[in-house]
Amino acid sequence: MKLNDRGLLIVISGPSGVGKGTVRKALFDMKGHNLTYSVSMTTRKMRPGEVDGKDYYFVSKEEFEQRIKDDKFLEHAEFVGNYYGTPFDKVNERLEEGQEVVLEIEVNGALQVKKKVPDCVMIFIVPPSKEALYARLKKRGTESEEVIMERINKANREFKSAKYYDYIVVNDEVNNAADRIMAIIRAEHAKTERSIHKYYELIGESDEN
Ligand code: 5GP
């Protein structure tokens, strides 16, 4: 039995190439959860295999900028020349319904969310070693040495952002990382500050004193 009805806003970030997307999928494949993924909006080009409305909402730069003006984003950021943002509309509604809303976003956006929703749960995924990440980045495709170096440099800068997060999860093995995130979600629900009101209600006591 859960002692709070509202869902958690879960923010997942991590350096490029750490396998955030794979961990998220493993998390969603687990049984008995109430997770919902917040599909982001972006101006970047669709990659082969991606589906509009499932992976991202793909929009033009003009449309994105109009939405910024209309205050339609919970957060938004620029990443390697493209805009990315979390549409506001559904997030609160889903949290009220008791669903856990998962955002998979980069660090600047994550910090904006922390400011607006201080009780969000910030999780930073890291590789077991820098070498493991470099190996993944090198293996990823047929990119030139220069592009690989650029990504490695970017990842090196991103490592340091771990300090802004509530939890650090090592992605040594995808299912282990997903298990750790699920454990964090359960523990967060049991936190006194989230559950005390409902608990007092249950036992017919008031909050005061
Ligand atoms: P990609 O282009 O590889 O799909 O994503 C690039 C980066 O943008 C990743 O770090 C991803 O987590 C981040 N990202 C995806 N959606 C959003 C979003 O809505 N807001 C922010 N701030 N970052 C996002």
Side-chain angles (χ1 to χ4, degrees):
M1 159 179 200
K2 272 198 310 200
L3 279 173
N4 69 323
D5 299 325
R6 196 175 158 82
L8 302 173
L9 182 60
I10 299 152
V11 180
I12 298 180
S13 308
S16 324
V18 76
K20 281 168 287 185
T22 324
V23 172
R24 189 212 346 134
K25 284 190 186 101
L27 183 69
F28 276 73
D29 283 344
M30 289 171 83
K31 292 204 175 81
H33 64 70
N34 200 9
L35 301 171
T36 175
Y37 181 60
S38 161
V39 178
S40 293
M41 196 165 275
T42 185
T43 58
R44 90 145 156 70
K45 287 212 173 73
M46 204 190 286
R47 291 181 189 142
E50 284 185 329
V51 179
D52 189 21
K54 183 169 170 273
D55 297 288
Y56 284 105
Y57 296 106
F58 295 92
V59 297
S60 67
K61 195 165 173 251
E62 292 68 34
E63 192 175 341
F64 200 102
E65 284 172 346
Q66 188 57 49
R67 281 171 187 264
I68 296 175
K69 278 191 200 135
D70 296 342
D71 211 11
K72 293 263 170 72
F73 291 110
L74 173 60
E75 61 72 36
H76 64 89
E78 219 179 309
F79 188 89
V80 209
N82 288 301
Y83 285 126
Y84 293 84
T86 304
F88 228 139
D89 46 3
K90 298 265 160 51
V91 173
N92 209 31
E93 208 175 289
R94 287 174 173 166
L95 293 172
E96 286 293 330
E97 287 166 7
Q99 297 184 49
E100 331 279 12
V101 178
V102 177
L103 311 182
E104 187 200 311
I105 61 178
E106 53 69 64
V107 178
N108 291 321
L111 294 177
Q112 294 170 42
V113 176
K114 183 79 191 168
K115 253 194 189 155
K116 284 194 187 158
V117 189
D119 75 339
C120 71
V121 182
M122 304 261 290
I123 300 174
F124 197 73
I125 303 185
V126 296
S129 68
K130 277 190 169 179
E131 289 67 33
L133 186 82
Y134 299 162
R136 274 185 71 124
L137 285 171
K138 284 183 181 158
K139 221 170 67 181
R140 231 186 196 182
T142 50
E143 285 136 348
S144 66
E145 199 62 22
E146 200 187 331
V147 172
I148 291 168
M149 275 320 292
E150 201 179 301
R151 285 182 184 223
I152 287 178
N153 287 337
K154 184 158 180 53
N156 276 335
R157 289 194 300 275
E158 288 170 326
F159 276 128
K160 298 202 182 118
S161 305
K163 65 181 175 210
Y164 302 120
Y165 288 73
D166 302 311
Y167 297 94
I168 297 176
V169 166
V170 180
N171 182 20
D172 45 1
E173 205 275 314
V174 174
N175 289 319
N176 288 344
D179 276 348
R180 288 176 190 128
I181 294 177
M182 199 52 95
I184 291 168
I185 295 172
R186 296 214 170 100
E188 279 288 335
H189 269 291
K191 268 200 167 161
T192 304
E193 66 213 49
R194 292 191 202 277
S195 48
I196 192 89
H197 301 295
K198 178 90 181 281
Y199 171 64
Y200 280 146
E201 245 175 67
L202 269 173
I203 60 164
E205 291 285 340
S206 86
D207 278 28
E208 291 140 32
N209 242 338

